[in-house]
Each structure stands twice: as structure tokens, then as C-alpha cells.
């Protein structure tokens, strides 16, 4: 029951349709929105030191401009991409997997770091005893199938007035 003199009766006819409209808009935009990415041809140019830079990376890092971004909804994950056999990241994983000495060093180093960290915890020291050092370990090095997931959010980008 609405108490007398309350403004809820006045706001309800305005706020409820706006809230429902916003929710419906978000659902429709998420499900049936424009999934086309703005594909611009990459203009690879060589810089003075001979390294290649893409056309979109000429101006520096993202987010350095003075635009104001107003998000419309939640971020969503883009479809996952996988490494190709010729990708430099994948080639570095292959080189690491073939270097058995380096893999053994990394496993031993990680085991030592975890042992030191656990040794500094008082509750673990009480449970395991003082000076507990890992003697055996079983670690597998798993390489990812692709780069980390990327996310995108739709919204308005407002340019500053000059």
C-alpha cells in the first residue's frame, strides 16, 4: 500500500516503462544486435627502426584520446580464436617444450616458490611442521590453445568540444 502523499504514484507510470524498455532493448540488442566488426584494411607501415606497425597502432595505445565512452549494457565475450602453427606465441611454446632443461628449471623454481610461500603461513606451519620443503612434485606444463579471451562492450563515444 502506498502511503498518502507519496510520489510513487507519479514516478511509477514513468519509471516502470522506461526500465522495462531498457531491459527489452538490452536483450534484443544482445541477441540480435549487429555482430559485424568494423573491418578496416590493416595498413602495415615500416617505422624508422624497421619494425612493422599496424595502421591503427600509429597513434599509440588505446584509450589515450579524450573521448568520453558511455557504455550501453554489459561486456560480452568475442568468439575464441586459436593459435596457428606459424604464430610467434605458438612457436615460443614449441621452443620451450623442446628445451627440457628450461622446463625442469621452471618446475623446480615454481615448487620452491610455493614451498616458501606455504612456509610463511602460520596455520600451514602448524599443520605441516616447521621447515617443510617439497621433496617430490608433479607439474605438467600446459600451453593454451589460443590467446586470452577478448571482450567487447557497445556504447557511445563522445568527442570533446574544441
Amino acid at each position: 500500500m502506498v502511503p498518502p502523499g507519496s510520489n510513487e504514484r507519479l514516478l511509477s507510470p514513468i519509471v516502470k516503462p522506461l526500465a522495462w524498455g531498457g531491459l527489452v532493448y538490452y536483450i534484443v540488442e544482445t541477441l540480435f544486435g549487429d555482430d559485424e566488426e568494423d573491418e578496416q584494411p590493416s595498413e602495415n607501415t615500416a617505422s624508422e627502426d624497421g619494425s612493422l606497425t599496424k595502421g591503427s597502432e600509429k597513434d599509440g595505445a588505446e584509450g589515450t584520446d579524450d573521448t568520453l565512452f558511455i557504455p550501453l549494457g554489459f561486456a560480452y565475450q568475442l568468439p575464441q580464436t586459436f593459435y596457428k602453427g606459424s604464430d610467434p606465441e605458438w612457436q615460443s611454446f614449441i621452443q620451450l617444450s623442446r628445451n627440457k632443461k628450461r622446463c625442469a628449471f621452471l618446475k623446480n623454481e615454481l615448487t620452491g616458490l610455493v614451498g616458501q610461500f606455504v612456509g610463511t603461513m602460520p596455520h600451514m606451519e602448524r599443520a605441516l611442521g616447521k621447515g617443510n620443503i617439497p621433496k617430490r612434485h608433479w607439474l605438467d606444463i600446459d600451453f593454451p590453445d589460443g590467446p586470452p579471451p577478448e571482450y567487447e562492450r557497445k556504447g557511445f563515444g563522445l568527442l570533446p568540444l574544441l
Side-chain angles (χ1 to χ4, degrees):
M1 176 111 194
V2 179
S6 171
N7 291 337
E8 186 175 335
R9 287 187 197 145
L10 296 175
L11 292 178
S12 182
I14 297 170
V15 173
K16 283 182 182 178
L18 285 176
W20 280 108
L23 180 66
V24 169
Y25 174 78
Y26 173 74
I27 291 171
V28 169
E29 188 66 27
T30 302
L31 294 177
F32 306 108
D34 189 16
D35 292 336
E36 296 177 16
E37 295 180 9
D38 294 332
E39 299 274 338
Q40 296 178 354
S42 66
E43 301 170 7
N44 294 335
T45 56
S47 62
E48 298 169 6
D49 59 347
S51 63
L52 289 177
T53 58
K54 287 188 176 182
S56 62
E57 296 175 353
K58 288 179 185 176
D59 298 331
E62 287 185 26
T64 57
D65 52 354
D66 293 334
T67 60
L68 174 67
F69 182 74
I70 300 173
L72 296 176
F74 297 106
Y76 59 93
Q77 185 174 349
L78 297 176
Q80 182 181 5
T81 58
F82 297 98
Y83 288 128
K84 297 177 186 171
S86 60
D87 285 342
E89 293 96 352
W90 188 252
Q91 292 298 321
S92 65
F93 293 151
I94 290 173
Q95 288 177 357
L96 177 62
S97 68
R98 291 182 180 162
N99 190 349
K100 300 297 181 191
K101 286 183 179 180
R102 178 111 172 111
C103 286
F105 172 77
L106 290 173
K107 289 177 183 180
N108 290 332
E109 189 73 19
L110 180 62
T111 304
L113 287 172
V114 170
Q116 287 177 354
F117 179 70
V118 169
T120 60
M121 297 181 188
H123 63 281
M124 294 300 286
E125 189 176 304
R126 285 191 302 268
L128 300 174
K130 199 166 193 140
N132 193 1
I133 299 171
K135 294 176 180 72
R136 292 185 193 176
H137 60 273
W138 181 346
L139 294 175
D140 292 329
I141 298 177
D142 293 329
F143 300 108
D145 295 331
E150 295 181 2
Y151 294 88
E152 189 173 88
R153 176 182 284 175
K154 294 183 180 182
F156 294 117
L158 303 176
L159 296 174
L161 297 175
L162 297 176

